Amino acid sequence: MTSASGGSDPTIEKLRAAEHRVNEIETSRQTLHQQGLAAMGMTGNEVTVSLREGIRRSGTGWYPLVILSVLLIVDGFQGTAFGILSPDISRTLGITKAELAGVVTLQVLATTLLALPIAASVQRRARRAAVSIATALGWSLFTVFTGFVTSVYALGAVLVADGASTASVSSIHQPFLMDLYPPSVRVRALSVYNAVQQVGRILSPLLVGALTLWLALTWRGIFVVMGLLSLAATLFALRLRDPGFGRWDTAKVRSLADAEAAPGDTTRVAPNVQLSFFDIVKRLLM
Amino acid sequence: MPRRIRAGLVWGALLVSVILAAGCAPPLRADGLLFVQDRRLLITSPADHAVVSTPTVIRWRFAGRTDTRFQVFVDRAPQPPGETLDWFVRFDRTGIYETTATELPLNRIARFGRDGTTRENLHEITVVIADTSGRRIGETEAYVDFYVQVRR
């Protein structure tokens, strides 16, 4: 039998030790469970604020999301119009289907190959807003120029230049949005951006159809109008500003760690490591 | 030279070279270019995406000069404006016809596809206008797509 005090009963001591170990195991199990969920990305609050409220709280506002989405739509103008109007271009300029395929291939190559240099150009300095505006200006002008070409060489040059400026969309826009919005609304902002792209894929052919039917424009007229519309959209993008790298991520964690560090405690303050562009590419590929 | 200025020069040179490449020989020009559809030339038969059987007659109407020549291209692109049919190499002039009339009988059109179904036999006719020396005038053109009924 156990005594009332229970302080020296070896059986009770053993039971308490066993209970303690069970609790430790349970705690470890729960910790592992949480870590497992975290590793799979299944963490975070189950209840989140609305997108409108989240964007309001971020202080960034709707402007960058709206204007980058609009730039994404007008960027698609050139490609969509060229896809639809290539038979007309072929008949006007006397270009064969093989030549058309060749210039389109060059354009795709330019878009693909120049995405990396453009990403590298903004890797050291946060100037994604300036590059986005400059490239949008570029593709708008090249879309207008497309309406004035008179040979396959001119068409190739304009399409390659347009492809080069378009490369900024794939390499800059989404990282730019990631740094503009906090994690609580970031994915939804990216969803809006990608949804707008689908809307653009519907609007662009409709615009080509409307300009052909209602304004009776030829392919030249359509490229000029689309380029001017793109130019107008670019003018609205002039207020875009780059918030800097990792504003809501590394910069926030770093500021928290710095705030918690005791005065003179340098071990809590992580060094600001700057990886080169090719180091990042190497780590991604390894 | 500061890096920023150097980068600006490189981008500027790139932009200028692209504009020059687009604008030189033949020039980037606005004269003679057609920005609004020219509806003086219109193919009246066959209708767009109609199914026809060969022999067939292509008909069109033109509200312009009476001494105009018409060049008809079957399943191929015409020559650029200002060029004659000499633009095509001599041994590659299949599917090219020239006439002063506003119709052209077509006895046969090359069959496409292995099983030769109607769906596969989509053809395109382009008509452009030319002067008396056969030089293509402007960018005016009319075209129609149609299917050719295949006889088995």
Side-chain angles (χ1 to χ4, degrees):
Chain A
M1 294 296 287
T2 56
S3 64
S5 65
S8 59
D9 192 324
T11 311
I12 289 176
E13 287 302 318
K14 279 183 185 173
L15 281 172
R16 282 181 179 161
E19 190 181 358
H20 181 66
R21 281 198 293 275
V22 167
N23 286 340
E24 274 186 347
I25 290 168
E26 183 60 26
T27 307
S28 301
R29 194 190 69 78
Q30 285 180 1
T31 307
L32 280 172
H33 182 69
Q34 292 299 326
Q35 286 175 348
L37 287 174
M40 289 185 287
M42 296 165 64
T43 56
N45 298 328
E46 288 183 3
V47 180
T48 56
V49 295
S50 67
L51 179 62
R52 184 185 298 174
E53 179 63 18
I55 286 181
R56 191 188 63 78
R57 283 186 199 171
S58 73
T60 306
W62 287 93
Y63 172 74
L65 177 59
V66 170
I67 204 66
L68 285 174
S69 302
V70 170
L71 289 184
L72 183 66
I73 290 178
V74 297
D75 172 51
F77 279 177
Q78 160 79 300
T80 307
F82 190 80
I84 296 170
L85 301 167
S86 54
D88 299 85
I89 298 170
S90 163
R91 280 191 295 270
T92 302
L93 301 180
I95 297 174
T96 63
K97 290 181 175 70
E99 287 169 327
L100 274 177
V103 293
V104 171
T105 305
L106 285 177
Q107 184 187 30
V108 172
L109 269 177
T111 305
T112 308
L113 295 178
L114 283 163
L116 280 177
I118 287 178
S121 73
V122 297
Q123 198 255 330
R124 291 277 176 203
R125 288 182 56 200
R127 52 184 171 194
R128 288 166 293 187
V131 173
S132 295
I133 294 166
T135 51
L137 191 66
W139 77 59
S140 302
L141 290 175
F142 293 126
T143 305
V144 174
F145 287 167
T146 311
F148 293 89
V149 296
T150 54
S151 73
V152 66
Y153 305 109
L155 183 67
V158 168
L159 286 186
V160 166
D162 177 76
S165 53
T166 294
S168 71
V169 171
S170 55
S171 58
I172 288 181
H173 278 200
Q174 295 208 19
F176 193 13
L177 281 170
M178 298 276 278
D179 278 337
L180 281 165
Y181 293 103
S184 59
V185 292
R186 180 180 292 162
V187 175
R188 283 176 285 173
L190 286 172
S191 298
V192 169
Y193 176 78
N194 286 315
V196 167
Q197 184 175 27
Q198 306 310 320
V199 173
R201 285 179 180 162
I202 297 168
L203 283 181
S204 299
L206 285 178
L207 182 60
V208 171
L211 293 173
T212 307
L213 280 176
W214 294 334
L215 297 183
L217 297 180
T218 62
W219 62 271
R220 292 189 184 281
I222 289 169
F223 276 114
V224 171
V225 170
M226 283 187 143
L228 292 176
L229 286 176
S230 181
L231 202 58
T234 306
L235 293 179
F236 283 107
L238 292 178
R239 281 176 46 223
L240 267 181
R241 295 289 179 271
D242 197 312
F245 298 119
R247 176 188 173 196
W248 301 101
D249 302 292
T250 50
K252 195 167 185 179
V253 171
R254 193 178 298 281
S255 66
L256 285 172
D258 291 351
E260 284 181 7
D265 180 8
T266 54
T267 58
R268 295 287 299 273
V269 182
N272 191 5
V273 178
Q274 288 287 330
L275 293 175
S276 74
F277 178 74
F278 290 102
D279 279 335
I280 294 169
V281 172
K282 198 165 70 181
R283 287 177 185 215
L284 283 172
L285 294 179
M286 278 173 68
Chain B
M1 184 185 295
R3 199 174 163 188
R4 180 179 284 187
I5 294 174
R6 200 171 54 198
L9 284 175
V10 169
W11 279 105
L14 191 68
L15 186 67
V16 168
S17 61
V18 165
I19 292 170
L20 285 177
C24 292
L28 188 78
R29 59 168 209 259
D31 61 301
L33 305 186
L34 205 60
F35 291 91
V36 179
Q37 294 164 22
D38 183 355
R39 291 181 173 163
R40 291 177 303 156
L41 181 63
L42 187 72
I43 295 177
T44 53
S45 176
D48 195 32
H49 285 86
V51 179
V52 302
S53 53
T54 52
T56 187
V57 179
I58 311 297
R59 294 188 176 87
W60 59 90
R61 67 165 182 257
F62 178 62
R65 292 167 59 112
T66 51
D67 60 344
T68 305
R69 298 170 78 91
F70 301 98
Q71 292 167 346
V72 183
F73 299 82
V74 181
D75 296 326
R76 62 185 302 166
Q79 77 274 30
E83 300 287 344
T84 65
L85 292 181
D86 290 337
W87 189 79
F88 300 100
V89 287
R90 202 165 293 280
F91 55 83
D92 182 29
R93 290 190 182 171
T94 50
I96 301 176
Y97 306 88
E98 192 170 34
T99 178
T100 53
T102 53
E103 62 179 40
L104 180 78
L106 279 179
N107 293 325
R108 60 181 297 276
I109 296 178
R111 179 186 288 192
F112 290 154
R114 277 192 294 182
D115 60 354
T117 59
T118 302
R119 180 57 57 183
E120 285 178 337
N121 275 280
L122 177 67
H123 296 271
E124 183 188 89
I125 298 278
T126 306
V127 181
V128 301
I129 53 176
D131 60 17
T132 49
S133 63
R135 196 173 300 281
R136 183 178 170 186
I137 301 171
E139 296 182 340
T140 300
E141 41 102 348
Y143 71 97
V144 67
D145 290 323
F146 61 94
Y147 296 100
V148 171
Q149 185 76 51
V150 176
R151 289 188 185 139
R152 293 179 183 277

